[in-house]
Amino acid sequence: MSNLFEERNIEDVYDSSGDHTRIKNLISKFKQKFGEEPGFLVRAPGRVNLIGEHVDYCGFPVLPIAIQQDVVIAGRADPSDRVLTVSSSNDSFQEYSCNIRDVQVTEVKWYSYVLAGYLGIAQRINSLPPGLQLMVDGTVPMSAGLSSSSALVCASALMSALFLKEETLKREAMAEICAKAERYVGTEGGGMDQAISFLGVKGKAQLINFNPVRCETVSLPDSVTFVVANCMVNKWKADGTDFNNRVAECRLAANVIATELGLDWNHIKKLQPLMVATNMTPMELLESVEEHLHPGAYTKDEIMGILGVDDSTFASIIGKSSNEVFRLYDRAVHVAGEASRVAEFRRICDENPADIQGLGRLIDESHLSLKDKYNVSIEELDNLTQICRDAGALGSRLVGAGFGGCTISMVPKEIANEFITQVWEAYYKPLNISFEEATSKHLFVSSPCAGACVLKVPS
């Protein structure tokens, strides 16, 4: 894996001439706005998680790939060294500017994620980055479950680290900095999105473990490809509490099971540490969930009674959740089952990559669990995954936080073009979306690409 801060030629990073033109246009717009060309260009890719949804914040491994769609930021030092300006190559996005000592995230806007990356580096280094003039360009579909928000955070942090000359920071450290930084905008994620954005490997998936972040490269079967399809219903992770509610329910599930097992719940914050503390496998954890949690909803009073806590302590446990009732059993069943599916998916890739039917089955099982146990699917996602299966996908599921966004389908390579045509005809054509628009923005093959890097500014 290359040095994060080593400048790379645009031609070595992008295969498409369209991306080369895009970067040149960004530089031109930057010069038009700020009067000079940028001093630095950085990129951070979005991601597709092949398997392991909603388990990273429980401490379990995930298996994503970085994708070609990315965020690129052009930047130079502010002449006064006192002002941070964040603009977009797309004029429809609101600009942000303020004194660097006044930078804070007070509301969720598109530029809030850029501010989060800037503040994350400032917190880690205990020093404000200098004033910067930034212009952002992105090709990751927004609110689609492909991590456009985290790509913004990662690109911003990388740019800020460059100007602070903190070039000793490793990719793993940057991923952890950015995972914490995204909480400035109210998202209590687990770190997958930031890790794969920095640690992606071209042509490979990455099995990402946490605490600390570490990766194992996984080769995927040569006979399949992965196709992303957007259901056209957008959902921001931070525009409500659905995502944070699931985080709180999983935390409470770990606390309750720990208490039932006679452990100190104060030391068990997540389901994966619970599994480790009790020497369980994911399947044994699932058995423990069946034994120690009851189906249906738990009330606040019921959980407080089990844990022996007061209102204040309970509020500190659930964090940003606004739930009144908590479905601990269903959430924990999904997490334990999904953790087992990740392990099995990786085993098949390593030991029997010809078993593409087995991989497809795991992907389908993941979607069913996300739908029935985690309750994060919607009708459009369910319809789209079924259309993808009918068109020849070996497996199809929602990807990302859910409640809208994209699906990922595993498709035999030899039928990929026919598959895309059939999905367009069945899903996008009735929405009056042309084939050209669909395949350029909403329906595309997703090939694993390399992680974040510094781009050499063309002379």
Side-chain angles (χ1 to χ4, degrees), residues 24 48 54 64 68 73 89 112 128 153 165 171 180 189 205 211 229 243 248 250 253 255 286 291 303 339 418 420 436:
K24 290 178 182 177
V48 167
H54 283 281
Q68 194 69 35
I73 299 181
S89 62
S112 301
L128 275 176
V153 175
K165 296 182 170 52
R171 291 177 178 270
K180 292 177 182 176
N211 301 313
F243 182 87
C250 290
N255 295 158
L286 182 58
E291 180 179 354
I303 298 173
E418 178 186 351
I420 286 174
E436 291 73 21

Side-chain angles (χ1 to χ4, degrees), residues 99-410:
N99 187 287
I100 59 174
R101 298 191 178 280
D102 298 326
V103 174
Q104 56 182 318
V105 180
T106 57
E107 55 185 344
V108 180
K109 301 285 189 180
W110 77 270
Y111 53 76
S112 301
Y113 296 92
V114 180
L115 303 184
Y118 182 89
L119 291 170
I121 290 295
Q123 182 183 48
R124 172 62 178 259
I125 307 303
N126 197 28
S127 175
L128 275 176
L132 299 175
Q133 295 175 330
L134 305 176
M135 182 172 283
V136 178
D137 184 90
T139 56
V140 187
M142 293 175 59
S143 309
L146 303 181
S147 197
S148 59
S149 56
S150 296
L152 277 170
V153 175
C154 293
S156 172
L158 179 53
M159 181 67 79
S160 301
L162 269 175
F163 276 93
L164 276 173
K165 296 182 170 52
E166 291 294 332
E167 298 183 12
T168 59
L169 287 169
K170 303 295 186 183
R171 291 177 178 270
E172 292 84 355
M174 288 292 289
E176 292 185 331
I177 289 168
C178 291
K180 292 177 182 176
E182 196 159 333
R183 294 169 192 170
Y184 281 109
V185 294
T187 304
E188 296 192 60
M192 169 183 66
D193 300 347
Q194 300 81 7
I196 192 62
S197 191
F198 280 108
L199 295 160
V201 173
K202 187 173 183 178
K204 306 288 184 180
Q206 289 280 60
L207 183 75
I208 300 176
N209 290 272
F210 302 97
N211 301 313
V213 170
R214 56 204 187 280
C215 292
E216 300 172 52
T217 300
V218 176
S219 296
L220 299 168
D222 293 331
S223 60
V224 298
T225 192
F226 293 89
V227 179
V228 172
N230 192 334
C231 80
M232 309 307 294
V233 177
N234 293 337
K235 176 69 177 182
W236 283 87
K237 278 191 294 187
D239 75 343
T241 57
D242 288 325
F243 182 87
N244 290 332
N245 286 343
R246 299 303 186 278
V247 176
E249 286 172 319
C250 290
R251 189 179 298 144
L252 289 169
N255 295 158
V256 170
I257 296 173
T259 300
E260 297 290 342
L261 292 173
L263 303 174
D264 183 355
W265 66 264
N266 284 286
H267 297 135
I268 304 292
K269 306 296 186 183
K270 300 178 181 180
L271 286 164
Q272 191 270 349
L274 171 67
M275 187 183 77
V276 171
T278 53
N279 294 312
M280 289 189 280
T281 65
M283 290 308 297
E284 289 169 337
L285 175 62
L286 182 58
E287 293 171 3
S288 187
V289 169
E290 298 276 1
E291 180 179 354
H292 296 295
L293 297 178
H294 65 68
Y298 283 75
T299 65
K300 171 184 172 182
D301 289 342
E302 182 180 5
I303 298 173
M304 287 173 61
I306 294 170
L307 301 182
V309 299
D310 58 18
D311 281 321
S312 176
T313 302
F314 185 80
S316 70
I317 296 172
I318 66 171
K320 296 180 182 296
S321 172
S322 63
N323 271 11
E324 294 295 327
V325 295
F326 304 87
R327 298 190 174 277
L328 309 189
Y329 174 86
D330 283 348
R331 309 315 184 216
V333 165
H334 166 74
V335 169
E338 189 78 345
S340 182
R341 285 185 283 273
V342 171
E344 178 65 6
F345 197 101
R346 191 267 175 88
R347 186 196 66 78
I348 292 174
C349 287
D350 286 350
E351 299 177 8
N352 188 20
D355 185 15
I356 55 177
Q357 297 292 338
L359 296 177
R361 173 181 52 79
L362 293 170
I363 292 171
D364 283 343
E365 288 176 0
S366 175
H367 182 79
L368 188 63
S369 181
L370 288 161
K371 172 178 176 285
D372 293 339
K373 295 300 182 183
Y374 230 64
N375 303 123
V376 294
S377 191
I378 58 174
E379 182 179 357
E380 290 85 352
L381 284 168
D382 295 336
N383 291 342
L384 183 52
T385 54
Q386 189 56 55
I387 286 170
C388 290
R389 295 184 196 103
D390 293 342
L394 299 167
S396 185
R397 70 176 191 86
L398 70 86
V399 66
F403 313 108
C406 288
T407 63
I408 182 74
S409 298
M410 190 176 74

